[in-house]
Amino acid sequence: MEGLMGILLGQNCHAHFFARLAKAAGIACVVISGVTKNGSYVVGERRLRRKQERRAQWNAILVDGEWRLLDVLWASCALVRRRVAGWALIDVDGERLAGEQEDDSPGEKRYRNNEFFFLTDPDQFVCTHLPDDPDWQLLQQPLFVQQFETFFYIRERFFDLGLTMVNGSQRRCVLKTTDAEVTIKFGIPASLGSRAQFRYMLFRKKTAEEESGKAVKQTKGCVIGQLTASMVSYTCHMAEVGRYRFDVFGRDLDRHNELDLVCSYVIECDSTDGRYLPDDPEIGWGPGTELDDTGLVPDTYHEAIVYTDEPELTIRFYKATHKKLVFWQCLKHLFLDEAALMSRAVLRMCGDYVTIVVRLPQPGEYAYELFCDQHNSSGLIPNVCNYLIRFYRPVPMPAPFPPLRCGVLGRGILAPTLDVKAIGTGSEGYVKTSKPEVKLRLNMSQSKCEVFYEIECLHVASDQPAAAVKLEISQSHVIVHVTLTAAGEYGLNVFVRPRSGTSLLHHVHSLLIDYQEGHVKNGGSEHPEGHTENGLRVENIPDVSKDDATSNVTEMSALAPSPQGNTDPIITLSEKQASPVTRPTQHRCPTEKCVTTDDVYRVTLPRSEHSLMLAAERRAAQHPVNFVRLQRKRDEAFVSLPLLGVYVVDVFEVHDRRRLKNVHRLNITRNEKVTQIHKTMHINARFEAMYLSLIAATEGTDIPTLQKIIEACTNTNVPKHKEPLLKVACTRLAFLEVSQDLRDGITRRHKRTLQTAMKRAELEKLTSELGQLFDEAREALIKLTCIDKMRYEVGKMNSMSIAEIKSYTKPQLPIQEVMKATLLILGEQEECLQEWKQIGAGIGQTRRGSLQKRIKNFDIEDLDITTVLKANDLLEKHKAEDVQTYSAVTGIFYKWVSQSNSVQVRPSPLKHVHVRSKLSESTETCHIMCTSSSISK
């Protein structure tokens, strides 16, 4: 008691108090003095031995003839929420912050049990504790003071996660950038895998002006993070000179409730090139866990940053899954417009490999972003992998690919939905040929859709046809015959239009044709524009003189200098966004960017003597845009934007009945805020868009989308002839919600959820539609009710009866094994229940409450399958009536364990049910009725 009072009054320390306790227990113990990197330690701090606040004492005890280290103070409390003034937080895991300042705060002491500092391994203990006597490091090669001070600041969470130093790991706490960059990486154990979660925080040291009260300016620190199953790495690219602090936090999702500090560095950047990253993707960079979930394995590039000396590179993935996948891709540059880069990358699926070919237009840094998901998944296709491509070599640049829809070769996302399938040559989206004739066969029903095509070649002048195309049409298939006119690369895009009178086109297939028979003849210079070298299409790069290397820049726009003798600008900047100006011979249609908050957008159509058609899609989404309406008298069209995101709308002219020519492209971004559309202009278009969106949502399984559209329809005066459709949609929504709740209740074994969902199913008369799902929910509810009944029986038992079981010296085997199974279900470890003495101790322990109270508070959700199997192995040796004969009390426990196990061992989770019966039939019937009514009106 005297020792504890001394600690509270500051007259004694934990180390001396522990030494007295150890001496009283007859354990050899010494007190060690030295310096520590404690809670007030500043990363990079030097001369620690001269600072009194770094002085500390800890212990070493003799265990089985071996000295072991421990720090009682660090094991019982910690200093939290301490902040050091002078630092501005600028980046938290990719979220840019406007220089949030840290105020100086001493922090607060929090008492907690940290077993890491009990009997710690010496090589881990020395990272934070350096004794005055090097012998007490207990290391064969002790650390010098300078090594201890310069070693990076590492905390116990680093060792708790099993992280290791790998090739490229930084061991010094103060790092100097090379080319404005520094890389930090650690190895992850295979046992941790996908359970690892990391987060970083980047601080910048404030300048003298900022310290004196000037507002902290926003700094764009760029961090390239990559997390794989075996490694976590961060590449910090500093766009501004300064001193930075980089903290890494981590946790095991199965063992830790919150993130804790892993390590900390100080980064000094003396020079920088001022470059920023082309993008900051939410999932980070490089192949990671998101890519693993798709079944794709990187075959060419395993790191986040790709360095290349050639302007054309190939990225390849191995497809280690039989799932049908859909893809989307994009290439980004800090200044070049994304629309101009769409023809710079193509993706092709061939056998077990996914191959991406990228042709860079100029030296610089690019972000290649890959999106992938299973076919028929609802909503957006998620981003799964991102590469930072760095190319600085000034060499002739390759020509772009011909126009290909989304840059993905082969079938379009909607092809399976529209029942269109390519067969034979060109089915994978790529043909390399020396013959001028190419044939593509598409199996499809002509009674449902019309076929249109678009073909372009950058090697053919814009005033000449790229190729001669002939369509051979039958009831079951369409054969596209292409006759090529000149050597080069051709892009063939095939569209279909449902025979419903709409002008909306759906993309179903893209084919890249590489025709190498002969070469395009050019006259004039030795290296004419657009010549071929080593089979690669290249363009000349004129030299720019030093006198022209500057440009007059205004706040809103700038024009980059042109080479001497050239009258065309190279790059035009508009509102600080740059996009290359393309020549007419490259057949690129004008691109327009628009931002709106409305759910219907009015498109002004270009004047044309030809018929116009539109193709519209939401970026990286598997579902089509459901509504486009053309009004030719006013030269305008209305496009439905039911969800937030970016929409791409292409306007085509129809030549020769089926040949398409892209004459205009719009990138429409719908922002979060939704406003009321101007009624005099858009009321009809908005209502039709809502009506068609309701049909599509009713046939799908996306609950939030259907809820939103039903709510919008409810708040609108719906005509009587369309009320049946709204009623069917409401029934469909109820079915989806009840199905979701039933699955949730079965999966979580939650009685109240099941009762509520089953009651609603009966009120909505959905029991027959739910079928097997409803039956399984009823069975699960019966079992859960039995468990509650057994809980009640256990609660009624006399505590003396349970105490009597505990008092047995050696009871019969059925009693032993039933009670062992009971304690296993309640969470006791099997190795602690090997003998009856241990089982009896578990029955009578009061640390977690009495046995009856533990059963009453037991949550069936906490039960895992491994424990169930172990308990079942014990129970299946005995029958309930035999156990009841030995002990009535044990018989009750037998029934409780059996019921709990029967609920846990349930069928595998049900797949999502796509009900086609009455609900879908009603939707189609209402759609026909509403359409007929609209026509009659």
Side-chain angles (χ1 to χ4, degrees), residues 277-315:
L277 297 181
D279 196 16
D280 189 11
E282 184 177 346
I283 67 168
W285 298 88
T289 54
E290 292 82 5
L291 187 68
D292 296 338
D293 293 340
T294 65
L296 296 178
V297 181
D299 186 57
T300 50
Y301 300 104
H302 301 269
E303 301 292 333
I305 304 178
V306 176
Y307 293 94
T308 178
D309 291 331
E310 299 297 331
E312 179 170 323
L313 71 153
T314 300
I315 303 170

Side-chain angles (χ1 to χ4, degrees), residues 67 79 206 218 271 368 502 544 860 900:
W67 286 103
L79 188 65
K206 292 191 290 187
Q218 185 173 5
S271 62
Y368 176 79
T502 178
V544 180
I860 197 72
S900 299

Side-chain angles (χ1 to χ4, degrees), residues 206-252:
K206 292 191 290 187
T207 62
E209 293 81 3
E210 293 169 344
E211 289 281 9
S212 61
K214 184 180 178 180
V216 178
K217 74 170 184 176
Q218 185 173 5
T219 305
K220 293 184 179 179
C222 301
V223 180
I224 307 167
Q226 181 179 5
L227 175 62
T228 67
S230 60
M231 181 191 68
V232 57
S233 70
Y234 296 100
T235 298
C236 304
H237 179 88
M238 303 308 173
E240 296 184 10
V241 173
R243 187 178 177 90
Y244 299 83
R245 192 179 87 223
F246 188 75
D247 296 342
V248 180
F249 301 82
R251 68 167 174 167
D252 182 339

Side-chain angles (χ1 to χ4, degrees), residues 895-921:
K895 294 179 181 178
W896 177 77
V897 173
S898 300
Q899 292 292 343
S900 299
N901 289 356
S902 67
V903 174
Q904 209 287 338
V905 182
R906 61 192 186 281
S908 59
L910 292 169
K911 296 182 179 179
H912 205 95
V913 181
H914 295 276
V915 176
R916 175 68 185 168
S917 57
K918 297 180 181 179
L919 290 179
S920 297
E921 293 173 1

